[in-house]
Amino acid sequence: MFKDITSFIAELDRRKELARVAEPLSPALEISAVIDRVSKSPGGGPALLFERPAGSDIPVAANLYGSMSRICLALGVGDLNELSHEIEELTTPPMPKGFMDALKLMPLVNRLTDLLPKTVKDAPCQEVVSIDAGLDSLPILKTWPDDGGPYITLPLVVTRDPETGMRNIGVYRMQVFDRRTTGMHWQQHKGGAQHYRVAERLGKRLEVAVALGADPVLTYCATAPMPEGLDELMLAGVIGKERVELVKCRTIDLDVPASAQIVLEGYVEPGERRREGPFGDHTGFYSSPADFPVFHLTCITRRAKPVYVTTVVGIPPMEDFYLGKASERVFLPLIRKTLPEIVDMHFPAAGIFHNLVLVSIDKRYPGHARKIMSAFWGLGQLMFSKCIVVVDKDVNVQDEAEVAWITGTHVDPSRDIAIVTGPVDDLDEAAVAPAFGGKMGIDATRKWPAEGYTGTWPGRLVTTPAAAARADAVWRALSGKSSS
Ligand SMILES: Cc1cc2nc3c(=O)[nH]c(=O)nc-3n(C[C@H](O)[C@H](O)[C@H](O)COP(=O)(O)O)c2cc1C
Ligand SMILES: [Mn+2]
């Protein structure tokens, strides 16, 4: 696994998956326009290293995870389905049938020790420590023309619950207000916001550490929708197959990933809010300005020669689609622990994760599709699922055209649509009220008599095996002729 971003970038370079941009480009709009253009090329384009951002001697890396091959490389798998298999194996250990058999489980037990991070004394991220450095020393991008300012778009924001001490790491954008303060855009449903809620109730300052350019596994894990109270570092230990190394911050009482390129140390005060936004968001539209807590910088620590790692969100597909795809594969086996009837699920890029969720199930009883919808609406960040389409297990949900075809042919809207109201994504500007609105489920499974269906469900068109074999032979002959 890659110990840091520097070694990941070197490997991308070796594999010819890195494009170096030597042209001096402005962090205000120019660099992000290139990133957007490249992300839209087939397969997501190459990773990018801007060697000469105007006004800074720190290079800017972007689109590092923005392709199937790079997200796989980052997470140490050949195919994202391997992640599902690994997690399935780890969470379903076989029952040993005796002592010798139990010994065979040792490798599994060893892997459990990777769950706990360890603290180191010397860390690359603290080669340079500056108490009075400002954010103006970093090439932070302004990504879209009407943005409220420059934004740190891929920060790993570390906090601790002031009461329980539980750690959380999440990616929440930070708008630069001036060289020592930023916005802290943790939405109300997220882990960081919960810690802040507790701090405000206690009337206490909440310390915050922000890691920029942490190693690839950790970066992904910070975006993962871990259940509240479960440390993202545990997931990083599982996927990275080694303990995450942490180092103590210099001005606050928090630990940060030792592998980071740059660390921002600071705090948010209870009761303080400031207008944040607008921001060109991953919805493909500008998010409206709103009030969010304020991050005060106390110290910047960094490598002697750091790289500034960033991402640009915008009209899909962008880099975040691949991070989301990894979560889809990581959480599938975990969701199946309580919903074993789920066969597969898919979040199309155009649905920006939660706007469109396609699920296939092994239907066992009347109303089963609706049970799955209710379960999703009650399960962590899946509560944001705006439209859930449930199909039978013989439908391949990874094939969006197949799902559209099946939905069109299997649904009577007067019978098969469920509408509910509840919490919706903070970024949903169409909702009836902020963070509150409607959600729709479409039952596109074959309906049963027990569900009131009185007809005979029509059979799917398939020819006989004999005719198919004849067709194969004829087709081979035909294509042989045309190619010679
Ligand atoms: C590039 C990127 C930017 C993100 N920006 C934000 C953000 O500004 N605010 C937010 O609440 N979530 C944002 N997210 C989503 C969170 O990182 C994600 O929901 C994560 O699971 C939160 O972790 P938590 O459950 O520990 O809060 C972003 C995700 C990505 C990939
Ligand atoms: Mn969390």
Side-chain angles (χ1 to χ4, degrees), residues 65-119:
Y65 311 106
S67 77
M68 221 26 117
S69 67
R70 291 200 297 283
I71 188 74
C72 287
L73 182 67
L75 302 180
V77 290
D79 179 308
L80 287 183
N81 285 316
E82 286 172 29
L83 284 177
S84 311
H85 295 142
E86 276 187 25
I87 303 244
E88 172 65 27
E89 220 173 66
L90 269 175
T91 50
T92 324
M95 262 308 177
K97 291 191 200 72
F99 183 68
M100 291 312 284
D101 210 26
L103 281 184
K104 289 190 199 139
L105 291 181
M106 276 320 282
L108 204 67
V109 174
N110 276 340
R111 283 198 65 183
L112 292 181
T113 59
D114 293 335
L115 295 179
L116 294 175
K118 62 176 173 199
T119 313

Side-chain angles (χ1 to χ4, degrees), residues 132-400:
D132 44 30
L135 297 165
D136 47 347
S137 61
L138 307 178
I140 301 169
L141 308 186
K142 179 177 177 181
T143 55
W144 297 101
D146 292 345
D147 281 0
Y151 281 84
I152 304 172
T153 51
L154 199 55
L156 276 59
V157 177
V158 184
T159 51
R160 276 186 179 282
D161 183 310
E163 283 179 333
T164 65
M166 281 299 302
R167 180 182 14 242
N168 189 69
I169 309 186
V171 169
Y172 318 118
R173 71 170 186 244
M174 299 163 71
Q175 178 182 351
V176 177
F177 294 139
D178 58 54
R179 58 190 297 279
R180 301 285 283 183
T181 50
T182 76
M184 182 47 79
H185 188 263
W186 46 47
Q187 294 152 10
Q188 56 189 314
H189 310 105
K190 307 297 176 72
Q194 176 55 20
H195 291 179
Y196 183 57
R197 207 173 275 129
V198 174
E200 285 204 304
R201 175 162 48 72
L202 301 173
K204 271 185 161 168
R205 173 180 277 196
L206 182 71
E207 294 185 328
V208 180
V210 179
L212 305 178
D215 70 74
V217 167
L218 201 52
T219 302
Y220 157 68
C221 291
T223 72
M226 286 292 275
E228 190 179 312
L230 281 188
D231 196 334
E232 280 75 10
L233 295 183
M234 275 176 36
L235 182 64
V238 168
I239 296 178
K241 300 188 179 66
E242 56 199 1
R243 299 174 69 177
V244 176
E245 292 191 348
L246 299 175
V247 68
K248 279 214 159 320
C249 284
R250 296 304 178 94
T251 58
I252 52 176
D253 186 22
L254 281 174
D255 299 330
V256 277
S259 70
Q261 297 288 314
I262 302 165
V263 174
L264 312 178
E265 301 182 4
Y267 59 87
V268 290
E269 291 284 17
E272 187 181 13
R273 297 287 189 284
R274 190 161 157 180
R275 195 40 62 105
E276 197 261 12
F279 176 67
D281 225 314
H282 84 116
T283 54
F285 295 90
Y286 285 102
S287 287
S288 303
D291 291 340
F292 276 87
V294 181
F295 172 81
H296 297 272
L297 183 72
T298 53
C299 178
I300 298 183
T301 74
R302 60 173 177 85
R303 294 180 178 229
K305 279 188 167 300
V307 179
Y308 176 73
V309 180
T310 191
T311 189
V312 172
V313 296
I315 299 173
M318 293 295 253
E319 182 177 17
D320 58 343
F321 167 72
Y322 298 93
L323 293 164
K325 200 73 194 161
S327 282
E328 182 192 294
R329 294 297 102 187
V330 165
F331 287 90
L332 179 60
L334 299 173
I335 293 171
R336 275 208 201 114
K337 293 279 171 228
T338 40
L339 302 168
E341 62 268 49
I342 290 183
V343 175
D344 197 10
M345 60 179 189
H346 173 55
F347 299 74
I352 53 165
F353 309 131
H354 47 266
N355 278 350
L356 186 56
V357 179
L358 315 180
V359 198
S360 55
I361 61 165
D362 180 13
K363 181 166 168 174
R364 297 168 189 171
Y365 41 77
H368 203 156
R370 287 170 191 258
K371 178 248 196 172
I372 293 296
M373 299 167 195
S374 307
F376 272 35
W377 287 324
L379 201 60
Q381 292 187 39
L382 280 176
M383 69 173 150
F384 302 133
S385 304
K386 179 137 85 171
C387 177
I388 304 178
V389 182
V390 185
V391 294
D392 284 306
K393 65 179 173 195
D394 56 338
V395 180
N396 174 15
V397 289
Q398 303 299 329
D399 183 342
E400 294 163 18

